[in-house]
Amino acid sequence: MIAPRSTTARKVLGRLSLPERTYVADALRTETVGGVLLLAAAVTALLWANIPALHDSYESVSHFHLGPAALGLDLSVAHWAADGLLAIFFFVAGIELKRELVAGDLRDPKAAALPVVAALCGMAVPALVYTVTAAAGSGSLDGWAVPTATDIAFALAVLAVIGTSLPSALRAFLLTLAVVDDLFAILIIAVFFTADLNFAALGGAVAGLVLFWLLLRGGVRGWYVYVPLALVVWALMYNSGIHATVAGVAMGLMLRCHRHEGEDHSPGERIEHLVRPLSAGLAVPLFALFSAGVAVSGGALADVFTMPETLGVVLGLVVGKALGIFGGTWLTARFTRASLSDDLAWADVFSVASLAGIGFTVSLLIGELAFAGDATMTNEVKAAVLLGSLIAATLATVLLKIRNAKYRRLCEEEERDEDADGIPDVYEEDDPAYHLRLADRYEAKAAEHRRIAQEKAAARHELAEVPGGAGEDHDGPA
Protein backbone atom coordinates (compact mmCIF):
# COMPACT_ATOMS: atom_id res chain seq x y z
CA MET A 1 0.00 0.00 0.00
CA ILE A 2 1.37 3.43 -0.92
CA ALA A 3 1.75 5.76 2.03
CA PRO A 4 -0.27 8.95 1.75
CA ARG A 5 1.73 12.02 0.81
CA SER A 6 2.20 14.50 3.58
CA THR A 7 0.04 17.57 3.24
CA THR A 8 2.14 19.65 5.61
CA ALA A 9 3.45 22.65 3.73
CA ARG A 10 7.19 23.17 3.92
CA LYS A 11 8.19 26.44 5.54
CA VAL A 12 10.99 28.63 4.24
CA LEU A 13 13.13 30.79 6.53
CA GLY A 14 11.86 28.86 9.54
CA ARG A 15 13.69 28.25 12.80
CA LEU A 16 17.21 26.87 12.46
CA SER A 17 18.28 23.60 14.02
CA LEU A 18 20.16 24.08 17.30
CA PRO A 19 23.63 23.07 15.94
CA GLU A 20 23.15 25.30 12.88
CA ARG A 21 21.97 28.17 15.07
CA THR A 22 25.07 27.84 17.27
CA TYR A 23 27.40 27.78 14.24
CA VAL A 24 25.69 30.76 12.63
CA ALA A 25 25.82 32.75 15.87
CA ASP A 26 29.56 32.12 16.27
CA ALA A 27 30.31 32.94 12.63
CA LEU A 28 28.24 36.10 12.61
CA ARG A 29 29.78 37.31 15.86
CA THR A 30 33.24 37.29 14.27
CA GLU A 31 31.97 38.75 11.00
CA THR A 32 30.21 41.55 12.86
CA VAL A 33 33.40 42.60 14.64
CA GLY A 34 35.28 42.35 11.35
CA GLY A 35 32.55 44.36 9.64
CA VAL A 36 32.96 47.21 12.11
CA LEU A 37 36.72 47.17 11.44
CA LEU A 38 35.96 47.10 7.72
CA LEU A 39 33.70 50.13 8.08
CA ALA A 40 36.42 51.94 10.04
CA ALA A 41 39.03 51.04 7.40
CA ALA A 42 36.80 52.36 4.59
CA VAL A 43 36.22 55.66 6.40
CA THR A 44 39.96 55.92 7.13
CA ALA A 45 40.77 55.32 3.45
CA LEU A 46 38.35 58.00 2.31
CA LEU A 47 39.75 60.53 4.78
CA TRP A 48 43.35 59.61 3.96
CA ALA A 49 42.74 59.98 0.22
CA ASN A 50 40.67 63.16 0.40
CA ILE A 51 42.53 65.31 2.92
CA PRO A 52 44.91 67.35 0.73
CA ALA A 53 47.80 67.13 3.19
CA LEU A 54 47.56 63.33 3.31
CA HIS A 55 46.60 62.44 -0.24
CA ASP A 56 50.15 62.10 -1.57
CA SER A 57 51.14 59.79 1.29
CA TYR A 58 48.17 57.55 0.57
CA GLU A 59 49.21 57.25 -3.07
CA SER A 60 52.83 56.61 -2.07
CA VAL A 61 51.96 53.83 0.36
CA SER A 62 49.42 52.20 -1.96
CA HIS A 63 51.84 52.09 -4.89
CA PHE A 64 54.95 51.16 -2.91
CA HIS A 65 56.35 47.94 -4.40
CA LEU A 66 57.84 45.03 -2.49
CA GLY A 67 58.36 41.33 -3.03
CA PRO A 68 60.76 39.07 -4.95
CA ALA A 69 60.80 40.21 -8.59
CA ALA A 70 62.51 36.97 -9.66
CA LEU A 71 59.36 35.09 -8.65
CA GLY A 72 57.07 37.54 -10.41
CA LEU A 73 55.89 38.91 -7.07
CA ASP A 74 57.20 42.48 -7.07
CA LEU A 75 53.77 43.91 -6.27
CA SER A 76 52.41 47.15 -4.88
CA VAL A 77 50.94 47.25 -1.39
CA ALA A 78 47.45 47.64 -2.88
CA HIS A 79 48.11 44.67 -5.17
CA TRP A 80 49.28 42.52 -2.24
CA ALA A 81 46.07 43.44 -0.39
CA ALA A 82 43.84 42.52 -3.37
CA ASP A 83 45.60 39.34 -4.50
CA GLY A 84 47.22 38.18 -1.27
CA LEU A 85 45.06 39.11 1.68
CA LEU A 86 41.79 38.43 -0.14
CA ALA A 87 43.01 34.86 -0.76
CA ILE A 88 42.57 34.40 3.01
CA PHE A 89 39.04 35.78 2.74
CA PHE A 90 38.18 33.34 -0.06
CA PHE A 91 39.85 30.48 1.83
CA VAL A 92 37.36 31.04 4.66
CA ALA A 93 34.54 31.33 2.10
CA GLY A 94 35.60 27.96 0.65
CA ILE A 95 35.45 26.33 4.09
CA GLU A 96 32.04 27.90 4.75
CA LEU A 97 30.68 26.58 1.48
CA LYS A 98 32.09 23.09 2.10
CA ARG A 99 30.56 23.02 5.59
CA GLU A 100 27.20 24.16 4.23
CA LEU A 101 27.31 21.40 1.58
CA VAL A 102 28.17 18.54 3.95
CA ALA A 103 26.81 19.60 7.34
CA GLY A 104 24.69 22.72 6.90
CA ASP A 105 21.43 23.61 5.21
CA LEU A 106 22.81 23.14 1.68
CA ARG A 107 23.18 19.37 2.18
CA ASP A 108 19.40 19.07 1.79
CA PRO A 109 18.52 19.84 -1.86
CA LYS A 110 15.11 21.21 -0.89
CA ALA A 111 16.60 23.55 1.71
CA ALA A 112 19.51 24.45 -0.58
CA ALA A 113 17.22 25.50 -3.42
CA LEU A 114 16.15 28.71 -1.68
CA PRO A 115 19.53 30.39 -0.98
CA VAL A 116 21.08 29.07 -4.21
CA VAL A 117 18.26 30.34 -6.44
CA ALA A 118 18.06 33.60 -4.47
CA ALA A 119 21.83 34.10 -4.80
CA LEU A 120 21.82 33.34 -8.53
CA CYS A 121 18.92 35.72 -9.15
CA GLY A 122 20.65 38.23 -6.89
CA MET A 123 23.65 38.12 -9.24
CA ALA A 124 21.87 37.81 -12.58
CA VAL A 125 19.44 40.71 -12.11
CA PRO A 126 22.11 43.27 -11.07
CA ALA A 127 24.25 42.18 -14.04
CA LEU A 128 21.22 42.67 -16.30
CA VAL A 129 20.43 46.06 -14.78
CA TYR A 130 24.02 47.18 -15.34
CA THR A 131 24.07 45.86 -18.91
CA VAL A 132 20.80 47.58 -19.86
CA THR A 133 21.84 50.86 -18.21
CA ALA A 134 25.31 50.89 -19.77
CA ALA A 135 24.02 49.88 -23.20
CA ALA A 136 21.30 52.54 -23.12
CA GLY A 137 23.96 55.17 -22.42
CA SER A 138 26.48 53.76 -24.91
CA GLY A 139 28.83 52.92 -22.05
CA SER A 140 31.25 50.04 -21.52
CA LEU A 141 29.77 46.64 -20.71
CA ASP A 142 33.00 45.50 -19.04
CA GLY A 143 31.68 46.24 -15.56
CA TRP A 144 28.64 43.95 -15.71
CA ALA A 145 29.94 41.81 -12.83
CA VAL A 146 30.71 44.69 -10.45
CA PRO A 147 27.25 44.90 -8.77
CA THR A 148 26.80 41.11 -8.47
CA ALA A 149 28.59 40.66 -5.12
CA THR A 150 27.36 40.90 -1.53
CA ASP A 151 29.69 41.89 1.33
CA ILE A 152 28.49 39.94 4.38
CA ALA A 153 30.93 41.64 6.76
CA PHE A 154 29.81 45.13 5.78
CA ALA A 155 26.14 44.08 5.92
CA LEU A 156 26.60 42.74 9.44
CA ALA A 157 28.46 45.89 10.43
CA VAL A 158 25.41 47.88 9.36
CA LEU A 159 23.21 45.61 11.49
CA ALA A 160 25.55 46.13 14.45
CA VAL A 161 25.56 49.90 14.05
CA ILE A 162 21.79 50.30 13.67
CA GLY A 163 21.14 47.78 16.46
CA THR A 164 18.35 45.80 14.83
CA SER A 165 17.35 42.47 16.36
CA LEU A 166 17.24 40.48 13.14
CA PRO A 167 16.02 36.89 13.78
CA SER A 168 18.60 34.12 13.38
CA ALA A 169 16.76 32.61 10.38
CA LEU A 170 17.12 35.85 8.41
CA ARG A 171 20.76 36.26 9.50
CA ALA A 172 21.49 32.69 8.41
CA PHE A 173 19.74 33.34 5.09
CA LEU A 174 21.93 36.41 4.56
CA LEU A 175 25.08 34.45 5.51
CA THR A 176 24.26 31.54 3.19
CA LEU A 177 23.41 33.95 0.38
CA ALA A 178 26.81 35.57 0.79
CA VAL A 179 28.62 32.19 0.83
CA VAL A 180 26.97 31.09 -2.44
CA ASP A 181 27.52 34.59 -3.80
CA ASP A 182 31.25 34.34 -3.00
CA LEU A 183 31.53 31.03 -4.84
CA PHE A 184 29.98 32.41 -8.02
CA ALA A 185 32.01 35.61 -7.67
CA ILE A 186 35.24 33.62 -7.67
CA LEU A 187 33.99 31.66 -10.69
CA ILE A 188 33.28 34.93 -12.48
CA ILE A 189 36.78 36.17 -11.63
CA ALA A 190 38.38 32.91 -12.77
CA VAL A 191 36.44 32.66 -16.05
CA PHE A 192 36.01 36.27 -17.19
CA PHE A 193 39.02 38.04 -15.71
CA THR A 194 41.82 35.61 -16.48
CA ALA A 195 44.79 36.97 -18.42
CA ASP A 196 46.94 34.92 -20.79
CA LEU A 197 47.56 31.58 -19.15
CA ASN A 198 51.00 30.40 -18.10
CA PHE A 199 50.42 26.65 -18.34
CA ALA A 200 53.66 25.75 -16.54
CA ALA A 201 52.70 27.83 -13.50
CA LEU A 202 49.11 26.57 -13.70
CA GLY A 203 50.32 22.98 -13.80
CA GLY A 204 52.50 23.64 -10.75
CA ALA A 205 49.54 25.18 -8.89
CA VAL A 206 47.35 22.17 -9.71
CA ALA A 207 50.12 19.80 -8.58
CA GLY A 208 50.39 21.77 -5.33
CA LEU A 209 46.64 21.51 -4.77
CA VAL A 210 46.78 17.75 -5.38
CA LEU A 211 49.59 17.45 -2.83
CA PHE A 212 47.55 19.57 -0.40
CA TRP A 213 44.61 17.18 -0.84
CA LEU A 214 46.76 14.06 -0.44
CA LEU A 215 48.30 15.38 2.78
CA LEU A 216 44.83 16.10 4.14
CA ARG A 217 43.62 12.62 3.16
CA GLY A 218 46.68 11.10 4.79
CA GLY A 219 45.91 12.80 8.08
CA VAL A 220 49.10 14.86 8.09
CA ARG A 221 48.86 17.66 10.64
CA GLY A 222 50.91 20.76 11.34
CA TRP A 223 50.68 24.34 10.17
CA TYR A 224 54.39 24.24 9.25
CA VAL A 225 53.47 21.81 6.45
CA TYR A 226 50.37 23.50 5.05
CA VAL A 227 51.21 27.20 5.34
CA PRO A 228 54.40 27.02 3.19
CA LEU A 229 52.59 24.78 0.70
CA ALA A 230 49.66 27.21 0.57
CA LEU A 231 52.05 30.10 -0.15
CA VAL A 232 53.67 28.16 -2.99
CA VAL A 233 50.27 27.27 -4.48
CA TRP A 234 49.16 30.90 -4.20
CA ALA A 235 52.33 32.19 -5.91
CA LEU A 236 52.01 29.67 -8.76
CA MET A 237 48.32 30.48 -9.20
CA TYR A 238 49.14 34.18 -9.35
CA ASN A 239 51.80 33.63 -12.02
CA SER A 240 49.48 31.34 -14.01
CA GLY A 241 47.28 34.29 -15.03
CA ILE A 242 44.28 33.07 -13.02
CA HIS A 243 43.40 35.37 -10.12
CA ALA A 244 45.30 34.18 -7.05
CA THR A 245 42.21 34.18 -4.82
CA VAL A 246 41.08 31.04 -6.67
CA ALA A 247 43.84 29.16 -4.83
CA GLY A 248 42.30 30.21 -1.51
CA VAL A 249 38.79 28.97 -2.26
CA ALA A 250 40.16 25.73 -3.78
CA MET A 251 42.11 24.88 -0.62
CA GLY A 252 39.14 25.78 1.56
CA LEU A 253 36.90 23.38 -0.37
CA MET A 254 39.38 20.53 0.18
CA LEU A 255 39.17 20.57 3.98
CA ARG A 256 37.05 17.93 5.69
CA CYS A 257 34.04 19.60 7.29
CA HIS A 258 32.11 16.56 8.57
CA ARG A 259 32.84 15.15 11.99
CA HIS A 260 34.14 11.66 12.65
CA GLU A 261 33.02 9.72 15.69
CA GLY A 262 34.45 11.23 18.86
CA GLU A 263 35.22 14.60 17.25
CA ASP A 264 33.73 17.77 18.68
CA HIS A 265 34.78 19.73 15.61
CA SER A 266 35.89 18.76 12.12
CA PRO A 267 39.30 19.91 10.82
CA GLY A 268 37.58 22.46 8.59
CA GLU A 269 35.65 23.92 11.52
CA ARG A 270 38.79 24.15 13.67
CA ILE A 271 40.80 25.86 10.94
CA GLU A 272 37.94 28.20 10.09
CA HIS A 273 37.70 29.15 13.77
CA LEU A 274 41.41 30.04 13.72
CA VAL A 275 41.55 31.80 10.35
CA ARG A 276 38.21 33.66 10.33
CA PRO A 277 39.39 36.35 12.80
CA LEU A 278 42.50 36.87 10.61
CA SER A 279 40.28 37.24 7.56
CA ALA A 280 37.60 39.44 9.10
CA GLY A 281 39.87 41.43 11.41
CA LEU A 282 42.95 41.98 9.24
CA ALA A 283 42.79 40.80 5.61
CA VAL A 284 39.50 42.40 4.55
CA PRO A 285 39.96 45.70 6.44
CA LEU A 286 43.46 46.14 4.95
CA PHE A 287 42.08 45.46 1.48
CA ALA A 288 39.42 48.11 2.13
CA LEU A 289 42.05 50.53 3.35
CA PHE A 290 43.95 50.37 0.07
CA SER A 291 40.96 50.00 -2.25
CA ALA A 292 38.36 52.43 -0.92
CA GLY A 293 40.59 55.49 -1.04
CA VAL A 294 39.01 57.36 -3.95
CA ALA A 295 38.70 61.08 -4.39
CA VAL A 296 35.19 62.14 -3.42
CA SER A 297 33.72 65.56 -4.19
CA GLY A 298 30.34 66.96 -5.06
CA GLY A 299 31.22 66.89 -8.73
CA ALA A 300 32.54 63.32 -8.57
CA LEU A 301 29.38 62.11 -6.83
CA ALA A 302 27.23 63.90 -9.41
CA ASP A 303 29.22 62.18 -12.17
CA VAL A 304 28.19 58.81 -10.72
CA PHE A 305 24.62 59.49 -11.82
CA THR A 306 25.55 60.80 -15.26
CA MET A 307 27.99 58.14 -16.49
CA PRO A 308 26.26 54.97 -17.75
CA GLU A 309 28.85 52.63 -16.20
CA THR A 310 28.68 54.12 -12.72
CA LEU A 311 24.91 54.58 -12.83
CA GLY A 312 24.65 50.90 -13.82
CA VAL A 313 26.70 49.91 -10.76
CA VAL A 314 24.53 51.97 -8.39
CA LEU A 315 21.24 50.73 -9.86
CA GLY A 316 22.57 47.17 -9.94
CA LEU A 317 23.42 47.23 -6.23
CA VAL A 318 20.37 49.13 -5.00
CA VAL A 319 17.62 47.93 -7.36
CA GLY A 320 19.01 44.79 -8.98
CA LYS A 321 20.10 43.06 -5.77
CA ALA A 322 16.83 43.73 -3.94
CA LEU A 323 14.60 42.64 -6.83
CA GLY A 324 16.79 39.65 -7.73
CA ILE A 325 17.01 38.14 -4.25
CA PHE A 326 13.40 38.90 -3.36
CA GLY A 327 12.16 37.57 -6.71
CA GLY A 328 14.29 34.44 -6.47
CA THR A 329 13.04 33.72 -2.96
CA TRP A 330 9.40 34.29 -3.91
CA LEU A 331 9.66 32.13 -7.04
CA THR A 332 11.33 29.31 -5.10
CA ALA A 333 8.58 29.35 -2.50
CA ARG A 334 5.91 29.60 -5.19
CA PHE A 335 7.09 26.72 -7.38
CA THR A 336 8.11 24.39 -4.53
CA ARG A 337 4.74 24.98 -2.86
CA ALA A 338 6.48 26.17 0.26
CA SER A 339 5.23 28.97 2.47
CA LEU A 340 7.04 31.63 4.42
CA SER A 341 7.59 31.07 8.14
CA ASP A 342 4.60 32.18 10.19
CA ASP A 343 6.80 34.58 12.17
CA LEU A 344 7.95 36.52 9.09
CA ALA A 345 6.43 38.55 6.27
CA TRP A 346 7.60 39.07 2.70
CA ALA A 347 8.53 42.62 3.70
CA ASP A 348 11.25 41.07 5.89
CA VAL A 349 12.68 39.20 2.91
CA PHE A 350 12.75 42.41 0.88
CA SER A 351 14.56 44.21 3.71
CA VAL A 352 17.29 41.56 3.82
CA ALA A 353 17.47 41.60 0.01
CA SER A 354 18.05 45.36 0.18
CA LEU A 355 20.80 44.82 2.74
CA ALA A 356 22.50 42.43 0.31
CA GLY A 357 22.99 45.39 -2.01
CA ILE A 358 26.07 46.28 0.02
CA GLY A 359 28.70 45.04 -2.43
CA PHE A 360 31.88 46.68 -1.22
CA THR A 361 34.81 44.19 -0.90
CA VAL A 362 34.30 41.85 -3.87
CA SER A 363 32.66 44.60 -5.95
CA LEU A 364 35.73 46.78 -5.47
CA LEU A 365 37.94 43.86 -6.50
CA ILE A 366 35.91 43.11 -9.63
CA GLY A 367 35.82 46.82 -10.48
CA GLU A 368 39.62 46.90 -10.43
CA LEU A 369 39.78 43.82 -12.67
CA ALA A 370 37.07 44.96 -15.07
CA PHE A 371 38.67 48.32 -15.81
CA ALA A 372 42.33 47.42 -15.34
CA GLY A 373 44.51 49.93 -17.16
CA ASP A 374 41.93 52.71 -16.93
CA ALA A 375 42.68 54.43 -13.62
CA THR A 376 40.05 57.11 -14.09
CA MET A 377 37.22 54.67 -14.76
CA THR A 378 38.43 52.40 -11.94
CA ASN A 379 38.14 55.27 -9.46
CA GLU A 380 34.73 56.27 -10.84
CA VAL A 381 33.47 52.70 -10.44
CA LYS A 382 34.87 52.52 -6.91
CA ALA A 383 32.98 55.69 -6.05
CA ALA A 384 29.83 54.11 -7.53
CA VAL A 385 30.33 50.98 -5.41
CA LEU A 386 30.73 53.08 -2.26
CA LEU A 387 27.70 55.23 -3.07
CA GLY A 388 25.53 52.27 -4.11
CA SER A 389 26.47 50.36 -0.95
CA LEU A 390 25.66 53.43 1.16
CA ILE A 391 22.24 53.86 -0.48
CA ALA A 392 21.47 50.14 -0.07
CA ALA A 393 22.52 50.28 3.58
CA THR A 394 20.35 53.34 4.23
CA LEU A 395 17.31 51.79 2.52
CA ALA A 396 17.74 48.52 4.43
CA THR A 397 18.15 50.43 7.71
CA VAL A 398 14.83 52.21 7.24
CA LEU A 399 13.01 49.01 6.27
CA LEU A 400 14.50 46.96 9.12
CA LYS A 401 13.84 49.64 11.72
CA ILE A 402 10.15 49.67 10.79
CA ARG A 403 9.92 45.99 11.78
CA ASN A 404 12.44 46.06 14.63
CA ALA A 405 9.84 45.75 17.41
CA LYS A 406 8.64 42.51 15.79
CA TYR A 407 12.23 41.26 15.44
CA ARG A 408 12.94 42.04 19.09
CA ARG A 409 10.01 39.89 20.22
CA LEU A 410 11.16 37.03 17.97
CA CYS A 411 14.72 37.24 19.31
CA GLU A 412 13.51 37.30 22.91
CA GLU A 413 11.47 34.18 22.18
CA GLU A 414 14.47 32.50 20.56
CA GLU A 415 16.70 33.31 23.56
CA ARG A 416 14.25 32.44 26.37
CA ASP A 417 15.64 29.71 28.65
CA GLU A 418 13.33 29.33 31.63
CA ASP A 419 14.75 25.99 32.76
CA ALA A 420 18.29 27.48 32.72
CA ASP A 421 19.90 24.50 30.97
CA GLY A 422 21.70 26.59 28.35
CA ILE A 423 19.37 25.54 25.52
CA PRO A 424 16.63 27.92 24.31
CA ASP A 425 13.17 26.70 25.27
CA VAL A 426 11.88 26.73 21.68
CA TYR A 427 14.10 23.71 20.96
CA GLU A 428 12.79 21.70 23.94
CA GLU A 429 9.04 22.18 23.83
CA ASP A 430 8.50 18.58 22.63
CA ASP A 431 10.77 17.11 25.32
CA PRO A 432 8.87 15.78 28.41
CA ALA A 433 12.00 16.28 30.54
CA TYR A 434 11.92 19.99 29.77
CA HIS A 435 8.39 20.33 31.12
CA LEU A 436 9.28 18.31 34.21
CA ARG A 437 12.26 20.61 34.86
CA LEU A 438 9.97 23.63 34.53
CA ALA A 439 7.43 22.04 36.88
CA ASP A 440 10.17 21.48 39.47
CA ARG A 441 11.35 25.08 39.14
CA TYR A 442 7.82 26.46 39.45
CA GLU A 443 7.05 24.22 42.43
CA ALA A 444 10.25 25.34 44.14
CA LYS A 445 9.34 28.97 43.46
CA ALA A 446 5.80 28.40 44.71
CA ALA A 447 7.11 26.81 47.92
CA GLU A 448 9.47 29.74 48.45
CA HIS A 449 6.66 32.27 47.97
CA ARG A 450 4.41 30.33 50.39
CA ARG A 451 7.20 30.40 53.00
CA ILE A 452 7.68 34.14 52.51
CA ALA A 453 3.93 34.72 52.71
CA GLN A 454 3.72 32.78 56.00
CA GLU A 455 6.63 34.77 57.46
CA LYS A 456 5.06 38.09 56.47
CA ALA A 457 1.68 37.05 57.86
CA ALA A 458 3.25 35.96 61.17
CA ALA A 459 5.21 39.22 61.42
CA ARG A 460 2.08 41.27 60.78
CA HIS A 461 0.14 39.26 63.41
CA GLU A 462 2.86 39.81 66.04
CA LEU A 463 2.94 43.53 65.31
CA ALA A 464 -0.83 43.76 65.70
CA GLU A 465 -0.66 42.15 69.20
CA VAL A 466 1.92 44.63 70.60
CA PRO A 467 0.23 47.32 72.85
CA GLY A 468 0.50 50.71 71.21
CA GLY A 469 1.62 49.02 68.02
CA ALA A 470 0.64 49.88 64.55
CA GLY A 471 -2.37 47.62 64.83
CA GLU A 472 -4.14 49.85 67.47
CA ASP A 473 -6.29 52.87 66.77
CA HIS A 474 -5.25 56.21 68.34
CA ASP A 475 -8.20 58.52 68.34
CA GLY A 476 -6.94 60.88 71.08
CA PRO A 477 -4.92 64.00 70.57
CA ALA A 478 -1.23 63.68 69.80
Side-chain angles (χ1 to χ4, degrees), residues 57-208:
S57 65
Y58 180 80
E59 292 294 322
S60 298
V61 174
S62 297
H63 295 103
F64 180 78
H65 278 245
L66 68 160
L71 299 178
L73 296 175
D74 182 20
L75 310 177
S76 67
V77 170
H79 206 161
W80 276 110
D83 285 56
L85 293 178
L86 278 195
I88 301 173
F89 166 79
F90 279 108
F91 175 70
V92 174
I95 299 175
E96 288 177 333
L97 180 64
K98 180 68 173 290
R99 199 206 71 86
E100 288 289 340
L101 290 170
V102 301
D105 287 344
L106 297 185
R107 72 185 187 278
D108 177 8
K110 291 182 179 179
L114 178 66
V116 170
V117 172
L120 286 173
C121 292
M123 299 183 82
V125 176
L128 180 62
V129 169
Y130 174 93
T131 302
V132 171
T133 304
S138 301
S140 171
L141 301 183
D142 292 342
W144 64 270
V146 174
T148 60
T150 293
D151 191 318
I152 183 63
F154 217 132
L156 292 173
V158 170
L159 291 179
V161 171
I162 66 177
T164 186
S165 304
L166 201 63
S168 59
L170 287 177
R171 288 178 181 264
F173 177 59
L174 182 62
L175 177 62
T176 308
L177 266 178
V179 170
V180 178
D181 192 297
D182 289 339
L183 171 66
F184 287 107
I186 201 69
L187 290 175
I188 287 173
I189 291 171
V191 174
F192 295 100
F193 299 105
T194 295
D196 295 334
L197 288 177
N198 181 331
F199 288 100
L202 181 59
V206 172

Side-chain angles (χ1 to χ4, degrees), residues 74-336:
D74 182 20
L75 310 177
S76 67
V77 170
H79 206 161
W80 276 110
D83 285 56
L85 293 178
L86 278 195
I88 301 173
F89 166 79
F90 279 108
F91 175 70
V92 174
I95 299 175
E96 288 177 333
L97 180 64
K98 180 68 173 290
R99 199 206 71 86
E100 288 289 340
L101 290 170
V102 301
D105 287 344
L106 297 185
R107 72 185 187 278
D108 177 8
K110 291 182 179 179
L114 178 66
V116 170
V117 172
L120 286 173
C121 292
M123 299 183 82
V125 176
L128 180 62
V129 169
Y130 174 93
T131 302
V132 171
T133 304
S138 301
S140 171
L141 301 183
D142 292 342
W144 64 270
V146 174
T148 60
T150 293
D151 191 318
I152 183 63
F154 217 132
L156 292 173
V158 170
L159 291 179
V161 171
I162 66 177
T164 186
S165 304
L166 201 63
S168 59
L170 287 177
R171 288 178 181 264
F173 177 59
L174 182 62
L175 177 62
T176 308
L177 266 178
V179 170
V180 178
D181 192 297
D182 289 339
L183 171 66
F184 287 107
I186 201 69
L187 290 175
I188 287 173
I189 291 171
V191 174
F192 295 100
F193 299 105
T194 295
D196 295 334
L197 288 177
N198 181 331
F199 288 100
L202 181 59
V206 172
L209 289 172
V210 171
L211 178 59
F212 189 88
W213 181 77
L214 290 174
L215 291 173
L216 290 172
R217 293 278 293 179
V220 176
R221 303 183 67 174
W223 64 268
Y224 46 83
V225 174
Y226 292 103
V227 171
L229 179 58
L231 292 174
V232 170
V233 171
W234 174 87
L236 288 168
M237 189 68 75
Y238 174 82
N239 282 287
S240 73
I242 295 177
H243 201 271
T245 51
V246 174
V249 77
M251 287 184 280
L253 287 170
M254 289 182 183
L255 292 174
R256 176 170 63 83
C257 291
H258 60 276
R259 301 175 188 177
H260 287 166
E261 186 175 353
E263 285 185 335
D264 292 330
H265 302 283
S266 67
E269 290 172 323
R270 288 198 303 270
I271 293 172
E272 181 188 6
H273 181 73
L274 293 173
V275 179
R276 184 187 286 276
L278 177 64
S279 170
L282 181 66
V284 175
L286 280 178
F287 168 76
L289 182 63
F290 293 108
S291 292
V294 295
V296 177
S297 64
L301 293 178
D303 288 343
V304 167
F305 295 100
T306 59
M307 298 175 59
E309 296 89 350
T310 51
L311 180 59
V313 170
V314 172
L315 292 179
L317 289 171
V318 178
V319 179
K321 271 289 183 182
L323 293 181
I325 292 173
F326 179 83
T329 304
W330 185 86
L331 289 172
T332 303
R334 174 69 178 82
F335 288 103
T336 59

Side-chain angles (χ1 to χ4, degrees), residues 42-64:
V43 172
T44 301
L46 288 171
L47 292 175
W48 193 359
N50 285 276
I51 295 176
L54 300 176
H55 175 76
D56 289 343
S57 65
Y58 180 80
E59 292 294 322
S60 298
V61 174
S62 297
H63 295 103
F64 180 78

Side-chain angles (χ1 to χ4, degrees), residues 406-470:
K406 172 72 172 178
Y407 299 152
R408 191 178 297 113
R409 288 194 296 272
L410 291 176
C411 286
E412 289 172 355
E413 182 66 20
E414 287 181 355
E415 297 295 333
R416 185 169 53 87
D417 183 19
E418 289 191 46
D419 61 341
D421 66 343
I423 300 174
D425 294 341
V426 292
Y427 294 98
E428 300 182 296
E429 292 173 344
D430 294 329
D431 183 4
Y434 159 75
H435 294 282
L436 291 174
R437 286 195 299 272
L438 274 187
D440 290 340
R441 288 178 64 86
Y442 288 144
E443 287 169 2
K445 286 183 178 180
E448 177 67 12
H449 284 294
R450 290 192 188 96
R451 182 188 64 77
I452 294 173
Q454 290 172 356
E455 290 178 355
K456 297 295 183 183
R460 180 176 295 180
H461 181 69
E462 290 175 1
L463 187 62
E465 291 181 345
V466 175

Side-chain angles (χ1 to χ4, degrees), residues 351-368:
S351 300
V352 171
S354 300
L355 190 64
I358 301 174
F360 205 70
T361 304
V362 181
S363 289
L364 289 175
L365 174 61
I366 295 177
E368 291 180 355

